[in-house]
Amino acid sequence: MIKDTIVNGFQNAPHRSLYHALGLTEEEQARPLIGIVSSYNEIVPGHINLDKIAGAVKLGVAMAGGTPIMFPAITVCDGIAMGHTGMKYSLVTRDLIADSTEAMVMAHGFDGLVMIPNCDKNVPGLLMAAARLNIPTVFVSGGPMLAGRVGGKKRSLSSMFEAVGAYTAGKIDEKGLTEFERKVCPTCGSCSGMYTANSMNCLTEVLGMGLQGNGTIPAVYSARIELAKHAGMQVMELVKKNIRPRDIMTKAAIQNAITADMALGCSTNSMLHLPAIANECGVEFDLDLVNVISEKTPNLCHLAPAGPTYMEDLNEAGGVYAVLKELDGLGLIDTSVMTCTGKTLGENIENAVNLDEEVIRKPENAFGKTGGIAVLKGNLAPDGCVVKRAAVANEMLVHEGPARVFESEEECIAAIYGGKIVKGDVVVIRYEGPAGGPGMREMLSPTSAIAGMGLDKDVALITDGRFSGATRGASIGHVSPEAVSGGPIAYVKEGDIISIDIPNYKIELKVSDEELAKRKQEMPLKKKEVSGYLKRYAAQVSSADKGAIINK
């Protein structure tokens, strides 16, 4: 055991004295030491219940003969951080989480880990740490929130943001807005649609790092506590068998995750996080592979914001395993990969059943013949950009219109609420990329304003920033190279015609190469003055097409 190197022998008596200071008995010191990485805090709704999850995990570890020791990881609530400077600090925490977890584990010699994340950057940050540390690890999240109900219909956080747009447009009154405010987020847990947190928690099951139900069992269900106990017990099996994260998160497992992503209709943010996780696993991630997989993978789920179903519905329909079973029937996943259950993925899903064919469509009745995410390329985004195709209205899959150019999210929101955006426009928000933002802010506020005002079938939005998983409509993000790096998006002018062709994976700025070259000479790049961690981050972060990783 790793811990033995700092416990056994006379020379390690000082270490043992500090274990005694913790109240650890000699019997506890003799057992495998399991780090419980808890993201509990009192500001994030998806994490307010993680103290209960951590307690259950600790009990499971102890039941299986281990010694659980808890330490914390941070997280940011993207919903609370949305639309202001705080959002610059969301994506950047992914690396802080990975780095700080690495520091804690390497300093203290744990034999195994149970990661307890839940929200957007917390899950991939801990997956990155797991791959980097490569000691036996199991994930158990806090679980999704139950959907709210307004006007007899299920609702979620994206409904709340769109309600602000509806209020601005005079479609609902103040009383209606207040009803949304009070009812859309009725319980603890990660927000109830297929947003980034739930996308990544579902993909944790596909990657083999979480037990069945990790992505879908609601936060308030007792089954979530049982799952946590089983995660604690299971990490002890992984320690005994020496099954490690890089044995599990192989190239085949990551390709399985891309495939499941397409079927589930996950957040575009997965196209930032999967490359970053692959990087830590030593696996090359080719963004072009996304479209290759998308072309042969049907979109089987339309969870909010794409459709009227929610995580609780996916759970009742059979969860992630039922989706994988449908994909396996088409020969689209590698079932031979190892998982944290100690069994192959094929063994895990052998008895999975699709219990609701409206929530998880059969392939012959799929919502779309192709996957939920598309990568577009063209002279506006030579290295690619990303759109959640499953949440785009049919009318907007192909669109051409004049550019309305903004240098920040704030400028854009003011124009939308000021009635300055009209049908047919293509809104361009630049200098919001990983380095240019810095921090690559999510743009849920402008996209929700457009949707809430009834323009989501008429207006496209393009940015070198990113979007929340709660975004719907023709919202195209991750434009690479970004503006601050001299990407073509920096040289778009008001009124330029932009052509979008999602089915054919194309995005074009209708400006000649000669004109673009001229603009590069005439239009200086803009760089924001920042300090502290953001300054260091901006200097080191890669482009979005590489996963916004910190360059080695």
Side-chain angles (χ1 to χ4, degrees), residues 154 156 158 193-194 301-310 367 388 390-391 472:
K154 287 184 178 181
S156 63
S158 56
M194 187 55 84
C301 300
H302 257 195
L303 284 87
T309 53
Y310 293 80
F367 289 102
K388 189 171 182 176
R472 64 184 175 95

Side-chain angles (χ1 to χ4, degrees), residues 373-418:
I373 288 178
V375 174
L376 314 183
K377 286 190 174 181
N379 69 342
L380 184 58
D383 294 334
C385 55
V386 180
V387 62
K388 189 171 182 176
R389 171 168 44 187
V392 178
N394 288 332
E395 297 93 322
M396 291 298 292
L397 290 172
V398 177
H399 180 75
E400 187 171 290
R404 303 298 310 281
V405 182
F406 302 94
E407 309 296 339
S408 70
E409 179 185 8
E410 288 84 356
E411 285 184 20
C412 177
I413 292 172
I416 294 169
Y417 285 143

Side-chain angles (χ1 to χ4, degrees), residues 33-326:
L33 191 65
I34 307 299
I36 313 300
V37 189
S38 173
S39 305
Y40 168 75
N41 62 55
E42 294 183 338
I43 188 61
V44 182
H47 291 233
I48 193 70
N49 65 320
L50 296 192
D51 55 340
K52 308 296 189 298
I53 301 297
V57 169
K58 290 173 70 176
L59 184 57
V61 169
M63 288 165 63
T67 298
I69 301 290
M70 185 169 64
F71 64 89
I74 64 166
T75 194
V76 163
C77 177
D78 279 21
I80 294 174
M82 194 71 65
H84 59 90
T85 302
M87 182 47 73
K88 293 179 183 289
Y89 288 88
S90 173
L91 180 60
V92 305
T93 64
R94 189 184 69 182
D95 294 277
L96 285 175
I97 291 162
D99 292 349
S100 59
T101 302
E102 175 192 358
M104 286 294 291
V105 173
M106 295 304 295
H108 299 107
F110 293 101
D111 297 297
L113 299 168
V114 179
M115 305 290 201
I116 309 177
N118 212 27
C119 288
D120 294 29
K121 313 310 167 296
N122 192 236
V123 185
L126 289 178
L127 282 166
M128 290 163 65
R132 192 184 299 175
L133 292 161
N134 203 34
I135 63 174
T137 303
V138 176
F139 275 67
V140 56
S141 75
M145 184 184 291
L146 294 178
R149 290 183 182 272
V150 179
K153 295 181 179 180
K154 287 184 178 181
R155 304 287 188 174
S156 63
L157 185 64
S158 56
S159 309
M160 182 69 253
F161 276 88
E162 291 180 16
V164 175
Y167 175 76
T168 304
K171 295 184 177 183
I172 61 173
D173 58 16
E174 187 174 352
K175 182 179 179 181
L177 183 66
T178 300
E179 184 179 12
F180 272 90
E181 180 183 333
R182 297 289 177 84
K183 293 182 177 180
V184 295
C185 297
T187 72
C188 63
S190 49
C191 296
S192 55
M194 187 55 84
Y195 310 148
T196 306
N198 293 325
S199 296
M200 293 309 302
N201 280 321
C202 286
L203 295 184
T204 300
E205 287 190 55
V206 184
L207 286 167
M209 295 298 292
L211 302 177
Q212 182 178 9
N214 183 57
T216 60
I217 297 172
V220 294
Y221 282 15
S222 299
R224 175 64 55 180
I225 298 297
E226 294 182 32
L227 182 72
K229 291 175 184 175
H230 282 127
M233 290 185 269
Q234 187 57 32
V235 74
M236 294 301 296
E237 289 299 311
L238 298 184
V239 170
K240 290 175 187 175
K241 297 175 181 177
N242 197 29
I243 298 175
R244 299 167 181 253
R246 276 183 246 159
D247 299 327
I248 295 171
M249 291 191 287
T250 60
K251 183 175 182 178
I254 289 168
Q255 290 186 2
N256 283 344
I258 299 172
T259 303
D261 188 311
M262 296 299 161
L264 286 163
C266 291
S267 164
T268 52
N269 280 316
S270 62
M271 293 299 106
L272 284 175
H273 301 324
L274 286 176
I277 295 162
N279 177 66
E280 295 290 351
C281 294
V283 173
E284 183 179 353
F285 189 100
D286 183 357
L287 198 61
D288 291 334
L289 182 62
V290 173
N291 288 344
V292 173
I293 291 175
S294 178
E295 278 296 317
K296 58 186 179 182
T297 306
N299 178 216
L300 303 181
C301 300
H302 257 195
L303 284 87
T309 53
Y310 293 80
M311 296 306 297
E312 62 201 66
D313 302 311
L314 179 59
N315 187 63
E316 295 301 318
V320 174
Y321 278 19
V323 175
L324 292 176
K325 187 74 169 180
E326 296 289 358

Side-chain angles (χ1 to χ4, degrees), residues 530-541:
V530 291
S531 59
Y533 180 56
L534 289 182
K535 185 174 183 178
R536 284 183 282 131
Y537 182 86
Q540 296 176 314
V541 69

